[in-house]
Amino acid sequence: MKSTLLALLFLFTNILLQVDSFAKPIDLRCEYLHNPLGVDVSAPRFTWRLDDVRRGAAQSAYQIWVGIDSMGLLQGKGLAWTSGKILSSQTLVAYAGKPLPAFSKFYWAVAAWGSDGQRSVSTTAHFETGVMYASNWKGAWISDTRDVKIKPAPYFRKTFDTAKKVKSARAYIAVAGLYELSINGQIIGNHRLDPMYTRFDRRTLYVTHDVTTQLQQGKNAIGVLLGNGWYNHQSTAVWYFHEAPWRSRPTFCLDLRITYTDGSVETISSGKDWKTALSPVIFNSIYTAEHYDARLEQTGWNLPEFDDAKWKTVTYRAAPSTNIVSQLMHPIRNVEEIEVKKMSKINDTTYLFDLGRNISGVSSLRVRGEAGTAIRLRHTERLNEQGRADMSNIDVHYRPIDNSDPFQTDIFILKGRGEETFMPRFNYKGFQYVEVSFDHPVNLSASSLKGYFMHTDLPQLGQVNSSNPTLDKIWWATNNAYLSNLFGYPTDCPQREKNGWTGDAHIASETGLYNYDGITVYEKWLADHRDEQQPNGVLPSIIPTSGWGYEWGNGPDWTSTIAIIPWNIYLFYGDAKLLSDCYDNIKRYVDAITAQSTDGLTTWGLGDWVPVKSKAPVELTSSIYYFVDATILAKAAKLLKKPADYQKYSALAQKIQNAINAKYLNAETGMYGNGTQTELSAPLHWGLVPPILRAKVAANLAQRVKADNAHLDVGLLGTKTILNALSDNGYADLAYQIAAQEDFPSWGWWIKNGATTLFENWPIDAKSDISMNHIMFGEIGAWYYKALGGIKPDPAMPGFKNILLHPHFVEGLEAFNVRFKTPQGELVSSWKKTEEGIRYVLTVPPNSSATLRLDVQAGQTVSNKGQVWPSEAKNGFVKNLKSGNYELLIK
Ligand code: BGC
């Protein structure tokens, strides 16, 4: 009996396993999120992957169903749309059914047919539409005052009754500023710094929360605490955010939409019947810090029974913009809790905490002390010679008007009852050290303080490790710097500026996209670009902006974000939506550069920022970006079927290329300009060098690098190109030599000096431009994938439908492993030098293919699992691979 049962179980598991391996669609996402709420787009995008490890696994057809009946979907019950069976390997499909109503939950499922014709159906996923149309908002915009100078953050509350049984409830909250929402005393969600920063007067975001479980039968209370964020910038610095055209006292609009089990719907909204009072958050600045006076706490302020008789009535406000848009992206969170590595007592009133690594985020302090004790927490990235917290590298652009708002310094005043905890709600900082001082004796231990690494919480896609620990540390530090600079928009640094510097961001965008699932943030940030673009096509150098940045730093070397990022998203996701959304903006932008250029050349730009020593001519680097933009525009025109534009901008790209080469290229010697690293590598990397001269220019570059002792001599723009230009043109060993250096100037030099993030300047003792958490030199993070792992998207089949694979088994490195989750599934590219030869393990994800190229020496063979593979090309080793696992030996 027992054995029959076991046999049956075995059979059953086998059937299950078998069914599972048949092209089952998994990882169903809508708008690149799992089961999102608040979907407001008219044609939501659906994506999935195939769970199929068989060699050659591919999707031959799919069908998608979207409807309101989770059980009857496939039978066509309650259907909003079905695609019908479509013969296609595509796993990205936009909704094409009848218009979706607001506030509605939809279920969806996909069937995929494998290459063998077997059908396999996904489990059911869902999404929910949001407010959809401005006219659906019922709430009013409210606040406590108009006075931008008032410092304490305002509380708002309202009570209401639910007589019937609640089936589901959603809170839709649109805010100019920041908020913390609570229901019956419970803070809703684990997001931080919501909503994301936008140009509030052009686009204001709302967030959707599922609050079903927080509601109770009978009396309920909603509480809202509003923070200033970038909306009411009270601190003063050189970028004039305190004079932003949108600036005002924070305001919000809320609809709490309750569906009862009897099907009826009730909406509790923000309005005149809300009450307001000032909170214990006595000051908050996104830029500097937060001050909290626990003596002002009003226990139970967000509970139903709280007596709010002394609270004021609210005031109506105009909506900050007429464009209220759902925030559909991965939120900012306290992603990592970091223990203190070391604590030292400096004197009776001062302690120093060291997290052991540099982060963006906040600290949280747990403490007991007398009422009225004022505790100051100064957050810095470094220490001075006396071992005290040193701000001097990061407060340089801050222009305080008095000493009430010290930089990166939280102030916490104790109420004097038991253990008290403080963590800022509406601010973050860049720091490793926290110097805590107080005016009454307080006892602290290392566990009194914790650090929280905060950033946009993106799923990680890529993982790298190698036989070189420094290389691995650089990769980790690069990711730390990337994430430290991601708060719903990419920033330059989390301390000194928190500005959306365009140049830094496009340089780092590939690093971001190989390592993280960044599409939602980039789509949002490019919408910020569209909001900021002037009618004449010009963009500001920082986005969003208060108006600063139209006069300085906004040449094509920085603001080409408008073209480069949508193009990278297209390459990495195979999704042309962002490119299409930005098409007119790219065009206006390219036309704006044309208006500022002479005969195909432009000098508009900053050039190779923060160089080691040599600086390429600005005209060369800016004109190259002009060329890059015109080229992307021409390709986009072709893709989006705009033949006239395609012709016009292809011709423009050609004109720019000719102009650059006529002025800077010596066709005889294969030299650009003075032949510095950036002057040679930028034309190579961006495709300006005539094919016939590529080898010569590359050889010149290699020679230059050798003369520079295989060390960097570039600035921001050159870091993008130097490693790639070498490894793409036959000098991967030399590129690796640069990447693996451990003395000045190099990434490894920072690591050797204790860096856990990337710096803004190459010398560690530089006197200016010395933030210790900048992502701008972060291209190396992408280069690992491109050159060592050898993974590149194929522009002809984007989204890694076909993968261009060309790993370099560089001299000096024994092993390199990369795992990268493409939209189709996980790609593994992993090699190791052994006595028999190079072992190369490769997984091509299901439903994709790869074009493998290997640098094989004369006399060497390539075999897979013991079987010798002939090359499919005349020159070098090339093989087209189907999905599946390969174990190659190259000897
Ligand atoms: C920022 C940079 C930025 C640069 C522009 C700096 O202050 O921190 O990263 O790109 O200005 O010149």
Side-chain angles (χ1 to χ4, degrees):
M1 179 67 185
K2 205 169 161 193
S3 61
T4 345
L5 266 180
L6 274 178
L8 270 175
L9 191 69
F10 179 74
L11 194 75
F12 185 62
T13 348
N14 254 343
I15 291 172
L16 270 185
L17 282 177
Q18 221 174 32
V19 168
D20 267 358
S21 65
F22 283 161
K24 189 174 165 88
I26 55 164
D27 197 13
L28 270 63
R29 291 185 301 160
C30 171
E31 287 294 302
Y32 296 96
L33 296 167
H34 288 120
N35 302 328
L37 302 180
V39 175
D40 271 3
V41 285
S42 55
R45 290 162 291 176
F46 302 108
T47 58
W48 62 93
R49 295 187 288 117
L50 295 192
D51 187 13
D52 194 338
V53 294
R54 293 170 301 168
R55 170 71 51 82
Q59 172 184 292
S60 58
Y62 71 86
Q63 177 162 6
I64 183 164
W65 293 263
V66 182
I68 52 169
D69 184 340
S70 66
M71 302 304 283
L73 250 192
L74 267 61
Q75 290 73 45
K77 274 196 212 145
L79 217 55
W81 178 59
T82 178
S83 60
K85 183 175 175 181
I86 307 285
L87 298 180
S88 164
S89 66
Q90 209 174 313
T91 54
L92 159 65
V93 175
Y95 177 82
K98 52 189 174 201
L100 295 167
F103 309 121
S104 308
K105 184 166 186 173
F106 289 92
Y107 298 89
W108 66 286
V110 191
W113 283 261
S115 35
D116 51 7
Q118 291 267 1
R119 185 181 102 142
S120 183
V121 182
S122 71
T123 54
T124 303
H126 51 89
F127 69 94
E128 200 177 275
T129 56
V131 182
M132 285 257 175
Y133 307 102
S135 56
N136 281 337
W137 283 96
K138 291 198 160 44
W141 284 85
I142 58 171
S143 187
D144 61 336
T145 168
R146 278 193 169 69
D147 189 344
V148 294
K149 292 209 177 94
I150 294 197
K151 289 192 173 163
Y155 275 151
F156 299 86
R157 62 175 262 119
K158 147 139 188 112
T159 54
F160 62 95
D161 283 298
T162 49
K164 295 183 279 186
K165 207 159 177 253
V166 174
K167 181 175 164 228
S168 72
R170 301 285 181 263
Y172 303 94
I173 177 164
V175 178
L178 298 169
Y179 75 91
E180 197 174 81
L181 170 69
S182 50
I183 291 184
N184 297 326
Q186 285 180 51
I187 307 274
I188 303 302
N190 61 2
H191 300 189
R192 301 273 275 125
L193 303 176
D194 258 347
M196 307 289 174
Y197 176 22
T198 55
R199 228 206 112 127
F200 301 97
D201 50 351
R202 308 236 162 107
R203 199 164 102 263
T204 317
L205 300 181
Y206 80 86
V207 182
T208 307
H209 295 281
D210 180 350
V211 295
T212 313
T213 57
Q214 283 84 11
L215 289 186
Q216 59 199 24
Q217 192 95 30
K219 200 165 180 195
N220 289 273
I222 317 177
V224 174
L225 171 64
L226 288 188
N228 287 321
W230 293 92
Y231 187 62
N232 183 26
H233 207 282
Q234 294 176 320
S235 304
T236 37
V238 298
W239 308 279
Y240 300 110
F241 283 105
H242 57 287
E243 290 178 11
W246 61 69
R247 186 174 168 192
S248 193
R249 177 83 169 162
T251 173
F252 76 101
C253 176
L254 176 140
D255 280 345
L256 172 60
R257 199 168 184 278
I258 307 169
T259 309
Y260 295 103
T261 44
D262 66 4
S264 61
V265 171
E266 184 183 10
T267 305
I268 310 294
S269 297
S270 49
K272 263 289 183 198
D273 53 347
W274 285 56
K275 306 275 300 265
T276 180
L278 296 178
S279 76
V281 178
I282 52 174
F283 175 77
N284 69 96
S285 161
I286 187 76
Y287 183 58
T288 57
E290 191 160 312
H291 308 168
Y292 186 87
D293 189 342
R295 295 170 303 181
L296 304 175
E297 281 173 3
Q298 304 190 44
T299 311
W301 73 274
N302 47 8
L303 291 174
E305 59 276 13
F306 180 77
D307 177 8
D308 59 17
K310 293 208 183 83
W311 286 35
K312 292 192 315 176
T313 52
V314 299
T315 152
Y316 280 137
R317 288 274 299 277
S321 81
T322 49
N323 190 18
I324 313 295
V325 174
S326 179
Q327 175 176 300
L328 215 53
M329 57 198 291
H330 296 285
I332 299 166
R333 290 195 176 98
N334 280 9
V335 181
E336 251 183 279
E337 182 179 285
I338 295 165
E339 303 278 337
V340 167
K341 267 266 154 60
K342 196 173 145 215
M343 185 202 77
S344 34
K345 188 168 178 177
I346 290 179
N347 56 43
D348 280 349
T349 57
T350 315
Y351 287 79
L352 185 79
F353 294 85
D354 177 358
L355 297 183
R357 60 183 281 206
N358 200 6
I359 59 164
S360 58
V362 290
S363 64
S364 156
L365 184 73
R366 236 166 4 106
V367 62
R368 283 170 194 274
E370 245 175 70
T373 306
I375 304 179
R376 287 177 170 244
L377 299 103
R378 301 180 73 227
H379 296 73
T380 71
E381 289 186 311
R382 62 184 200 181
L383 302 178
N384 63 19
E385 277 168 10
Q386 289 74 46
R388 302 289 295 267
D390 175 14
M391 275 287 168
S392 61
N393 67 323
I394 49 174
D395 65 0
V396 287
H397 298 317
Y398 181 37
R399 302 284 179 271
I401 42 170
D402 55 34
N403 55 14
S404 67
D405 177 15
F407 197 58
Q408 292 221 129
T409 304
D410 293 328
I411 301 174
F412 177 28
I413 303 169
L414 303 185
K415 62 177 178 247
R417 267 175 279 134
E419 189 172 86
E420 302 178 45
T421 305
F422 169 71
M423 182 182 80
R425 292 162 173 82
F426 302 126
N427 163 270
Y428 74 95
K429 308 163 187 78
F431 68 103
Q432 167 166 350
Y433 303 97
V434 189
E435 189 175 297
V436 181
S437 58
F438 26 85
D439 56 4
H440 284 74
V442 165
N443 240 330
L444 297 177
S445 70
S447 63
S448 305
L449 189 130
K450 290 212 179 338
Y452 289 94
F453 188 8
M454 279 167 74
H455 51 80
T456 292
D457 192 7
L458 295 182
Q460 187 161 352
L461 298 182
Q463 192 78 39
V464 160
N465 65 71
S466 75
S467 54
N468 178 346
T470 304
L471 212 66
D472 294 4
K473 282 185 194 154
I474 296 173
W475 176 72
W476 183 67
T478 305
N479 283 350
N480 288 338
Y482 180 77
L483 294 173
S484 295
N485 284 298
L486 205 63
F487 280 76
Y489 66 110
T491 67
D492 59 336
C493 51
Q495 4 65 10
R496 189 187 67 212
E497 304 198 16
K498 298 184 172 78
N499 273 321
W501 275 102
T502 45
D504 309 43
H506 70 70
I507 299 278
S509 60
E510 286 173 277
T511 291
L513 293 171
Y514 277 110
N515 287 292
Y516 298 98
D517 188 9
I519 186 168
T520 57
V521 183
Y522 287 120
E523 289 195 335
K524 179 264 176 194
W525 193 46
L526 266 292
D528 297 335
H529 277 62
R530 299 194 294 271
D531 286 343
E532 293 286 11
Q533 190 173 33
Q534 303 229 339
N536 65 7
V538 171
L539 286 156
S541 50
I542 56 172
I543 293 175
T545 179
S546 64
W548 188 93
Y550 286 100
E551 291 198 24
W552 192 82
N554 63 334
D557 46 358
W558 258 245
T559 52
S560 288
T561 34
I562 191 71
I564 292 174
I565 290 185
W567 183 251
N568 282 343
I569 291 292
Y570 172 66
L571 290 180
F572 276 72
Y573 289 85
D575 187 340
K577 178 166 188 294
L578 186 60
L579 205 51
S580 155
D581 287 351
C582 295
Y583 183 82
D584 285 330
N585 306 80
I586 304 172
K587 194 166 146 179
R588 278 196 285 134
Y589 181 64
V590 169
D591 291 347
I593 315 175
T594 302
Q596 307 220 10
S597 71
T598 322
D599 299 329
L601 295 176
T602 176
T603 55
W604 186 21
L606 291 177
D608 209 5
W609 193 246
V610 193
V612 175
K613 48 183 199 302
S614 312
K615 190 170 170 186
V618 172
E619 186 183 62
L620 174 62
T621 48
S622 281
S623 302
I624 288 177
Y625 277 96
Y626 179 24
F627 167 78
V628 171
D629 298 339
T631 308
I632 290 174
L633 180 55
K635 287 191 277 197
K638 189 169 182 198
L639 189 76
L640 302 171
K641 307 208 166 39
K642 298 171 193 287
D645 279 3
Y646 172 65
Q647 281 199 347
K648 178 175 169 189
Y649 292 104
S650 303
L652 175 64
Q654 188 63 58
K655 176 181 166 180
I656 304 166
Q657 183 177 6
N658 293 345
I660 293 172
N661 286 341
K663 182 153 179 188
Y664 288 95
L665 172 65
N666 180 333
E668 214 110 291
T669 59
M671 209 49 111
Y672 275 86
N674 291 322
T676 60
Q677 292 186 15
T678 300
E679 284 170 297
L680 292 166
S681 64
L684 277 169
H685 177 71
W686 293 113
L688 283 107
V689 183
I692 194 159
L693 286 176
R694 272 191 89 85
K696 211 172 202 176
V697 176
N700 285 334
L701 174 63
Q703 217 171 17
R704 177 70 259 160
V705 170
K706 283 180 198 149
D708 292 326
N709 205 13
H711 279 74
L712 293 165
D713 182 19
V714 291
L716 171 62
L717 308 179
T719 44
K720 182 78 197 174
T721 58
I722 182 69
L723 299 176
N724 297 307
L726 288 170
S727 50
D728 289 342
N729 291 287
Y731 298 95
D733 290 346
L734 195 53
Y736 175 69
Q737 253 182 289
I738 299 179
Q741 294 294 6
E742 296 186 356
D743 56 353
F744 174 80
S746 67
W747 291 276
W749 172 238
W750 294 337
I751 299 293
K752 288 286 147 185
N753 282 282
T756 56
T757 44
L758 303 188
F759 294 171
E760 187 185 11
N761 214 322
W762 296 108
I764 51 166
D765 55 355
K767 294 287 172 279
S768 61
D769 305 315
I770 43 176
S771 134
M772 294 169 77
N773 202 351
H774 249 63
I775 185 54
M776 73 179 185
F777 291 138
E779 163 65 14
I780 188 168
W783 178 80
Y784 287 171
Y785 290 84
K786 291 188 276 190
L788 302 179
I791 302 165
K792 284 184 189 170
D794 181 350
M797 292 177 76
F800 298 94
K801 276 295 280 170
N802 186 54
I803 301 147
L804 300 181
L805 267 177
H806 187 179
H808 295 288
F809 314 121
V810 291
E811 209 179 294
L813 189 64
E814 292 313 302
F816 187 81
N817 308 305
V818 42
R819 291 177 169 275
F820 170 50
K821 194 169 159 195
T822 74
Q824 303 300 329
E826 192 173 65
L827 167 63
V828 177
S829 173
S830 169
W831 53 263
K832 190 176 178 168
K833 294 176 185 166
T834 69
E835 276 178 8
E836 307 110 289
I838 295 162
R839 295 216 166 266
Y840 180 39
V841 175
L842 178 62
T843 306
V844 179
N847 203 32
S848 46
S849 57
T851 309
L852 174 68
R853 182 176 288 277
L854 294 171
D855 298 328
V856 174
Q857 313 300 322
Q860 277 191 322
T861 58
V862 178
S863 55
N864 175 40
K865 296 179 184 167
Q867 228 184 5
V868 175
W869 270 0
S871 171
E872 291 175 10
K874 280 209 190 84
N875 294 326
F877 182 88
V878 177
K879 184 138 178 94
N880 292 300
L881 303 178
K882 292 179 170 175
S883 62
N885 300 318
Y886 300 88
E887 286 165 31
L888 307 189
L889 179 66
I890 301 138
K891 62 170 186 185

